[in-house]
Amino acid sequence: MSSWGTDVLIEIGVLAAGLPDMAMSALVKEQIEGITPTAISMIPPEKLAVAFHQRQISMFSYEQAVAVTQQQLSALSDVQRTALDMVLTPWEDRPVDFRGRSLGLVLSRSPLCLILGLLTVLFCPGT
């Protein structure tokens, strides 16, 4: 399994949900990318919580993260939920120390704020 690429996991589809816990916990980013959202949703909640470390969960695509069911979510630890939240809200740049301590929010201007500011300066020069 260590030599399986994204294409193999895409090919086996939902059968990936039946991989042994140890095999699942050893998956790397390229392999995780091949797990379909449907397969993610079919992994038993306890198995998802045991097999996927928070770093692996943070490698999920948005579509994979959305596929996590409410039962699976309730089985995850707080740190695993934080990793999942980071995937679901990519617009919020929150560095997290996976030992459980947040390093806080990183403040930055969004492109929309920059555009609105520019438009205000161009069209309302007296403000």
Side-chain angles (χ1 to χ4, degrees):
M1 266 195 53
S2 63
S3 65
W4 289 5
T6 305
D7 54 334
V8 173
L9 286 159
I10 290 171
E11 186 72 28
I12 65 171
V14 296
L15 296 176
L19 293 173
D21 296 359
M22 291 297 290
M24 208 173 273
S25 66
L27 296 176
V28 295
K29 183 171 177 51
E30 294 77 25
Q31 294 169 319
I32 290 171
E33 289 172 352
I35 301 174
T36 65
T38 304
I40 294 285
S41 70
M42 298 181 84
I43 299 171
E46 301 76 27
K47 181 176 185 168
L48 183 76
V50 170
F52 284 111
H53 190 268
Q54 58 268 17
R55 287 194 181 100
Q56 289 174 304
I57 292 172
S58 70
M59 295 177 200
F60 282 8
S61 69
Y62 179 82
E63 291 77 16
Q64 289 170 320
V66 167
V68 173
T69 67
Q70 191 59 45
Q71 292 82 13
Q72 290 170 323
L73 185 62
S74 64
L76 297 178
S77 71
D78 289 341
V79 178
Q80 288 171 312
R81 280 191 215 116
T82 300
L84 189 65
D85 285 343
M86 290 174 67
V87 174
L88 292 171
T89 55
W91 50 268
E92 192 174 310
D93 190 8
R94 297 179 295 180
V96 172
D97 176 349
F98 281 117
R99 290 172 294 199
R101 296 185 307 267
S102 173
L103 299 176
L105 296 176
V106 174
L107 300 177
S108 64
R109 293 186 176 95
S110 74
L112 179 60
C113 288
L114 294 173
I115 291 170
L116 291 175
L118 181 60
L119 290 174
T120 302
V121 170
L122 291 174
F123 294 108
C124 306
T127 58

